[in-house]
Amino acid sequence: SMKLEIRVIPRAGTVVATLWRVGDAGAAAVGERFYRHLRAGAAPEAALAAAQRELIPARGGFTWAAYAISGTGGRKSGGVVRTTSGEP
C-alpha cells in the first residue's frame, strides 16, 4: 500500500513535496537547482520548473518528475532561503 505523509508548515506560502519516495542524491540535485533559481529571484513555481528542466536530460531516472508545488506562491517577508548546507 502507498503511504502518504503530509507535514503542515504554519504560514508557509508554498509547499514543495514529492509524489513518491526520492533518494538523497536525487533530492539534493533538485533542491540545489531549485534554491539557486529561487535565490536568483524566480517565483517558486518557476524555480521548480527550471530545476526540473535542467534534470530531464540526466540519465538518473525520473527523480525530477516526483516534485510538485502547491500554495499561494507568495513569499513571506523577512524569510531567508537556505540551502541544505545552511548558508543563505
Side-chain angles (χ1 to χ4, degrees):
S1 73
M2 187 166 130
K3 178 183 175 186
L4 177 62
E5 182 176 343
I6 299 174
R7 295 184 183 173
V8 177
I9 303 167
R11 301 179 48 89
T14 304
V15 175
V16 177
T18 59
L19 302 174
W20 58 82
R21 190 176 299 268
V22 174
D24 290 346
V30 173
E32 289 169 6
R33 287 162 178 81
F34 171 72
Y35 283 111
R36 179 171 32 92
H37 290 290
L38 204 58
R39 282 192 310 271
E45 61 277 5
L48 180 59
Q52 289 172 314
R53 282 192 300 272
E54 289 177 14
L55 290 168
I56 289 172
R59 295 182 184 232
F62 296 98
T63 296
W64 61 269
Y67 288 83
I69 194 163
S70 179
T72 62
R75 293 189 198 175
K76 302 296 179 188
S77 63
V80 176
V81 175
R82 296 192 179 276
T83 64
T84 54
S85 65
E87 298 176 19

